[in-house]
Amino acid sequence: MAILTLKKLGYSADVANNGLEVLAMVENQFYDLILMDMQMPEMDGVTATKIIRKSDKPQPWIIAIT
């Protein structure tokens, strides 16, 4: 639903299936905003967010969703 809403508003979005994919994606590209699912498989959103926050890279806004 979030992807469809963003698309209708004219935004593009990348989709990660789990927290490990999120970390790989933020290593390769800067994101202004991350809608972080708190209950992802393999690595939850809380853990992924903590790892992103420890990074020296520019920090995106992260909005927790569930």
Side-chain angles (χ1 to χ4, degrees):
M1 180 119 145
I3 299 300
L4 191 61
T5 301
L6 289 170
K7 189 174 182 177
K8 284 184 179 183
L9 293 171
Y11 296 101
S12 63
D14 295 331
V15 177
N17 295 306
N18 60 60
L20 296 175
E21 287 183 14
V22 171
L23 295 179
M25 292 169 78
V26 298
E27 279 295 314
N28 297 319
Q29 180 176 337
F30 174 73
Y31 292 91
D32 294 315
L33 173 69
I34 297 173
L35 297 176
M36 184 76 77
D37 185 351
M38 303 310 335
Q39 299 178 354
M40 293 182 287
E42 297 190 42
M43 178 186 290
D44 63 49
V46 174
T47 303
T49 298
K50 288 178 182 178
I51 292 170
I52 291 168
R53 290 296 181 234
K54 289 179 183 177
S55 170
D56 293 335
K57 293 185 175 205
Q59 295 291 305
W61 289 94
I62 300 176
I63 299 174
I65 59 173
T66 184

